[in-house]
Amino acid sequence: MNTFRHLLAPTAIALLLAGCGTHLTGANSVPSNGLRAHSRETAPALIDGLRTMAAGLNTFSAIVSFWETDGKDTQTSTAEVYTARPGKIRANITEASQALKRGVKLVYLGDKKVTAKIGFIKKQFDYADPQVTSMHNWRIDQTDLGAMIGGLTDPAGQATDLGPVTVNGVAGQAVGVTSPSLLPGVTREVVVLNPTTFMPLRLEAYIGDKPVYRLEITKAAINPTLPADIFVL
């Protein structure tokens, strides 16, 4: 039990899609008012594109880089992430600011349980167990790709165009979103979308004017054929 407590917390959020990555400096974040707003019509169109993409997203794979802070401590990790409807997630953590987390594999099947494995050791946790929630106590079902996109595309939300942003060499468009379906306690999220595929390149969550959570997605594949046993540990 103690081994998993030290190894896993807070790896569940690394599953974006969910939490992962190398350290990202504040210069990479999208400032609350540092970008000039563009046409008000662009942001809704981008969010509509994200909504349409998500509606047709049955399987997904990517490398997800994650950064999170609670104001005192900061943790980072990188994971190979695979998702499939309905609600299946697999993450293989390849890099982490805490070396002992490297090599941890996680599976979530939408059943309110997270299975974790490192080496020959395997254990199952309730999805609200502090050992498999984030620094902000967010559960895996709140931080997976579907849930995050759901918050961004909530019809009751408000989207603001923040202009062009390049993420890992890819030109994207940034949109700020406020909605009633964001992560608990989060006041605003900023998503940078690939304007061709509408796949998120970066997502940041803010509490007040401070970013507390950031993920970046690379090598994204929309509807890839996944191995039959990918969600088995």
Side-chain angles (χ1 to χ4, degrees), residues 1-2 17 26 36 46 69 78 89 111 118 146 156 163-164 176 189 208 227:
M1 178 69 75
N2 288 337
L17 229 51
R36 185 180 61 207
L46 288 166
T69 183
T78 298
I89 302 167
D111 55 358
I118 183 167
E189 292 183 5

Side-chain angles (χ1 to χ4, degrees), residues 8 36 54 63 86 119 135 137 145 156 169 173 175 183 200 203 206 213 215 221 230:
L8 299 182
R36 185 180 61 207
I63 303 299
M135 297 178 79
N137 298 315
L145 182 59
Q173 293 287 327
V175 179
L183 287 167
L203 190 146
Y206 289 74
Y213 167 81
L215 62 85
I230 193 66

Side-chain angles (χ1 to χ4, degrees), residues 33-227:
N33 55 10
L35 292 175
R36 185 180 61 207
H38 291 252
S39 168
R40 292 180 180 273
E41 298 179 357
T42 303
L46 288 166
I47 294 301
D48 282 345
L50 175 62
R51 185 180 292 112
T52 300
M53 184 279 293
L57 190 64
N58 296 308
T59 60
F60 170 80
S61 67
I63 303 299
V64 182
S65 295
F66 166 80
W67 171 95
E68 187 181 13
T69 183
D70 61 3
K72 297 179 181 179
D73 298 319
T74 297
Q75 295 189 7
T76 66
S77 58
T78 298
E80 303 166 341
V81 175
Y82 307 87
T83 72
R85 291 188 177 184
K88 295 180 179 180
I89 302 167
R90 164 74 176 263
N92 302 328
I93 299 177
T94 58
E95 294 293 338
S97 54
Q98 294 177 306
L100 290 178
K101 292 182 181 178
R102 297 169 189 164
V104 173
K105 296 177 174 62
L106 299 168
V107 165
Y108 178 70
L109 301 177
D111 55 358
K112 300 184 179 182
K113 300 292 182 182
V114 175
T115 301
K117 184 177 181 180
I118 183 167
F120 296 104
I121 304 173
K122 183 168 69 173
K123 186 172 178 62
Q124 190 174 75
F125 301 86
D126 182 271
Y127 73 161
D129 191 305
Q131 296 179 74
V132 289
T133 56
S134 78
M135 297 178 79
H136 291 84
N137 298 315
W138 295 324
R139 303 187 312 262
I140 183 60
D141 65 317
Q142 296 171 317
T143 57
D144 77 336
L145 182 59
M148 300 295 286
I149 290 177
L152 293 167
T153 60
D154 188 325
Q158 297 291 324
T160 303
D161 184 14
L162 299 178
V165 174
T166 299
V167 180
N168 295 316
V170 180
Q173 293 287 327
V175 179
V177 177
T178 58
S179 97
S181 304
L182 300 181
L183 287 167
V186 166
T187 52
R188 180 176 69 104
E189 292 183 5
V190 173
V191 61
V192 181
L193 298 174
N194 182 318
T196 300
T197 65
F198 299 101
M199 174 59 61
L201 302 172
R202 175 190 292 157
L203 190 146
E204 292 181 313
Y206 289 74
I207 294 178
D209 62 352
K210 296 181 179 180
V212 296
Y213 167 81
R214 181 186 304 124
L215 62 85
E216 292 190 355
I217 300 170
T218 58
K219 298 183 179 180
I222 296 174
N223 293 327
T225 299
L226 300 178

